Amino acid sequence: LDAQGRFTYWNPAALQSLHYTRQEVIGRPFSGLIRHDMRHAVECFYLRQAARNRRSSYREFPIVDGHGSERWIGQNVQILTDGKQITGFQAIARDVTGRRLAEAEAAKKPQRGKKKAAADKKPAAEAEAAPKKAAAKKAVKKAPAKKAAKKAVKKAPAKKK
């Protein structure tokens, strides 16, 4: 990407997998590919990266491919500079659509067994904590006894030889 966020190069494999031609993307702003409702948030994310001079970042967001289908990409972006001047951005993206769909599907399924798993963990945690609690109680009981013993030693008359 150039300093204004326009494409200067696209990997041929990415062009093919996202159903675009070189002519459709070169010179086009990257934000034009982002799903409309997410466009502003993603643009702000990358503007903040540049303003804060964060050398690299990672973000996942939905795009619309050349066939009009939604795809999710995970994108690493590095700032390219000449001294302190930003000259462009290098972006390496990968398709994470399959993982995002699997996560969404898993979120829809009822969370059976979660309560049982939590209940199973509770007795184990209590059993693990029991020796610690007992040791703490003994330490509290012994502390006053130690103090009393020290006081008795101080008050006791010294033995004559």
Side-chain angles (χ1 to χ4, degrees), residues 64-112:
V64 178
D65 71 15
H67 288 165
S69 299
E70 179 180 290
R71 306 279 285 276
W72 279 82
I73 61 167
Q75 182 170 264
N76 289 294
V77 174
Q78 288 77 38
I79 295 177
L80 304 175
T81 59
D82 183 9
K84 291 187 177 185
Q85 180 69 36
I86 294 176
T87 58
F89 303 88
Q90 178 178 325
I92 300 173
R94 65 186 175 110
D95 189 334
V96 295
T97 305
R99 180 179 53 80
R100 296 294 291 230
L101 291 173
E103 288 171 354
E105 190 62 33
K108 289 179 187 177
K109 291 183 180 179
Q111 298 294 323
R112 288 186 221 160

Side-chain angles (χ1 to χ4, degrees), residues 41-58:
V42 175
E43 287 173 336
C44 287
F45 176 82
Y46 290 118
L47 287 171
R48 277 192 305 274
Q49 178 185 355
R52 294 176 181 165
N53 200 24
R54 287 183 48 215
R55 295 287 174 211
S56 64
S57 67
Y58 178 80

Side-chain angles (χ1 to χ4, degrees), residues 118-135:
D120 290 345
K121 288 180 184 177
K122 190 174 180 182
E126 288 174 354
E128 187 177 303
K132 291 177 186 174
K133 286 182 182 178

